Amino acid sequence: MRPLELVLAVAEVTAWVVAAAGLRHATLAAGAALAVAALQAAVEGARWQLVPAYGCAAALIAAVALGARDAGPRAFAAVGVVALCGAVALPLAVPVFRLPTPSGPHAIGSSTRWWSDAARADGFTGAARRELMVQLWYPAADRPEAPRVPYVPDASVFGPLLDLLGAPHFLLDHLALVRTHAVDGAPPAPGRFPVVVFLSGRGGFRQSNTALVEELVSHGYLVAALDLPSASCGVVFPDGRRVAMDPRLYDPARPGHPAFLDEAVPLLAADVAFALDRLDALDRDDPEHLLTGQLDGSRAGIVGVSLGGIVAAQACADDARLRACIVLDAFAPADVVQRGLHQPALWLSRDADTMRAEGWHEADVAETQASMRAVTAGLGDAGELLLLPGAYHLDFTDAPRYSPLLRWFGLTGPIPPPQAHALVSTSVRGWLDRWLR
């Protein structure tokens, strides 16, 4: 819980105890709880998870004013216990979480760009040009007094995903209240930095691995996190247009009809090639006069998780400019298995038993295990496969921090979130350091 949320919980517990015990100053205690509720909403930002807490504060002062305690002290105390449990449990179950503090010496800057490829039509929508939203995370001069960039500035990007799940659109609004360690438009630190492209998973979003991205940036990498329209859960362009995830990405293969995913992967790999072109152009002349001369495209790597990992493998097979490839919990496309890779490649996944425990189909388990072993084995010393027993698919992202309920519902594994983050970030950074430095 955030500081004022915790103060609100304490104030409400205190006020109910004072009122239930029939002590003097019950009205004052109830008024103080309501005032704290108003202060918390104004300073930290209101969120739907605190509606029971706000209602509890308002109900308390009304009950005290109407003398409800005198009419039935036991019932009053019982109602108070139930109300307080709801007021505290929901914010704890769905917290405004904190990202881990990056361990590197650099502060972090962020700059979001809208890139358009006039030379290439959009293979998903048929639009005349392919467009991307890109968030650049870079080593920056320290500005401790500056406000930090929100984790997700516009939570409406989750709309298509929530529609798919049949969930209300406000469900993830609180992610806009989570703060990263980055400062928007901060002056960059001096130097030329290796470039890392980051790709999220199917139905994901570019900030899905912010903890990992910030760790890399703090150690001197510039990370370009791509939102891929029609593959990300939702992409919002600055002119207000919105592109939802293409539902065909979930279509299974049928006899004589390969899965649409097989067609989509090369299209998304072409987005990576376009991004590398734009990053090179940015190094020559940044239109925003921020990063000119600071991107070392000769030391470029890629990190992808889930679908992003599949695309990362394909992009490495297609583009020799990528000098290091890292795939997080994904199979290798058949084309990559057949052709092999020429770059050093790290696959970070889990063992077959853990995949089965999570509920994966046996065919998917077999494809993932066989394909990643085939590609890494073909690279000799330049290929490595690391397995994290107990890690579920979402444990390779920031998702375990979203709610402890994810573990109760079997969506994250028994491995503790800090341990999963440490294992993933240490392995990824070690591989990039080895091959890009």
Side-chain angles (χ1 to χ4, degrees):
M1 298 176 72
R2 293 176 292 176
L4 287 178
E5 291 178 5
L6 185 59
V7 172
L8 174 58
V10 171
E12 290 186 341
V13 169
T14 301
W16 275 102
V17 169
V18 170
L23 302 177
R24 298 176 58 188
H25 308 305
T27 302
L28 180 61
L34 189 62
V36 172
L39 180 64
Q40 184 282 323
V43 174
E44 292 181 333
R47 60 187 182 110
W48 66 265
Q49 295 89 349
L50 288 171
V51 168
Y54 302 145
C56 182
L60 175 60
I61 198 166
V64 170
L66 295 174
R69 187 268 175 197
D70 297 332
R74 290 185 177 180
F76 181 85
V79 169
V81 169
V82 173
L84 289 170
C85 287
V88 174
L90 197 53
L92 288 174
V94 189
V96 176
F97 61 91
R98 291 184 179 181
L99 290 163
T101 301
S103 66
H106 292 286
I108 300 169
S110 174
S111 178
T112 301
R113 309 296 176 95
W114 177 16
W115 289 347
S116 178
D117 186 358
R120 185 167 54 108
D122 191 314
F124 291 90
T125 65
R129 61 180 63 194
R130 178 69 170 166
E131 299 172 276
L132 305 178
M133 291 302 298
V134 182
Q135 189 163 358
L136 303 174
W137 305 77
Y138 56 90
D142 192 15
R143 296 179 61 190
E145 77 291 345
R148 268 37 188 179
V149 173
Y151 184 71
V152 179
D154 184 355
S156 69
V157 299
F158 298 114
L161 177 63
L162 295 171
D163 286 339
L164 183 67
L165 299 174
H169 277 210
F170 64 78
L171 186 67
L172 299 176
D173 283 355
H174 67 288
L175 293 182
L177 300 173
V178 176
R179 287 296 179 265
T180 68
H181 295 92
V183 174
D184 185 40
R192 285 176 62 79
F193 306 110
V195 173
V196 177
V197 176
F198 171 76
L199 304 176
S200 64
R202 176 171 47 183
F205 55 106
R206 66 176 186 261
Q207 301 94 342
S208 66
N209 285 63
T210 296
L212 171 61
V213 168
E214 290 193 331
E215 179 68 10
L216 294 177
V217 175
S218 76
H219 285 275
Y221 289 93
L222 184 145
V223 178
L226 310 186
D227 257 338
L228 302 175
S230 299
S232 298
C233 62
V235 178
V236 180
F237 292 109
D239 61 4
R241 287 180 297 117
R242 299 168 184 269
V243 179
M245 183 185 63
D246 193 322
R248 292 177 296 173
L249 286 173
Y250 282 99
D251 288 347
R254 304 185 305 278
H257 297 277
F260 178 72
L261 181 65
D262 295 339
E263 302 175 33
V265 168
L267 300 176
L268 298 172
D271 287 337
V272 176
F274 169 64
L276 291 173
D277 292 340
R278 292 303 299 262
L279 291 167
D280 285 341
L282 202 68
D283 180 62
R284 293 192 298 271
D285 184 15
D286 183 357
E288 297 190 13
H289 309 291
L290 184 67
L291 296 170
T292 301
Q294 298 205 269
L295 293 81
D296 187 352
S298 68
R299 294 185 291 161
I302 189 168
V303 179
V305 59
S306 193
L307 173 59
I310 300 168
V311 175
Q314 186 68 57
C316 285
D318 295 343
D319 199 322
R321 289 176 294 177
L322 294 167
R323 293 181 50 196
C325 183
I326 299 177
V327 176
L328 304 181
D329 204 35
F331 65 83
D335 177 59
V336 175
V337 174
Q338 181 179 0
R339 293 163 55 191
L341 292 178
H342 300 288
Q343 304 95 329
L346 167 67
W347 249 262
L348 193 60
S349 186
R350 57 268 174 70
D351 58 291
D353 287 342
T354 298
M355 296 180 72
R356 294 186 185 102
E358 189 180 358
W360 284 51
H361 294 296
E362 191 61 36
D364 295 327
V365 174
E367 180 183 25
T368 302
Q369 295 291 326
S371 63
M372 62 186 182
R373 292 175 190 278
V375 176
T376 52
L379 288 167
D381 291 341
E384 188 163 356
L385 172 62
L386 296 180
L387 302 179
L388 307 182
Y392 283 11
H393 196 57
L394 289 180
D395 290 316
F396 292 88
T397 72
D398 293 335
R401 302 180 186 278
Y402 298 168
S403 171
L405 298 179
L406 293 177
R407 178 176 292 187
W408 295 354
F409 291 132
L411 297 176
T412 62
I415 186 171
Q419 182 181 358
H421 167 71
L423 290 168
V424 171
S425 62
T426 300
S427 301
V428 169
R429 183 163 66 86
W431 192 256
L432 293 173
D433 285 349
R434 178 179 175 185
W435 298 104
L436 298 186
R437 295 188 186 279

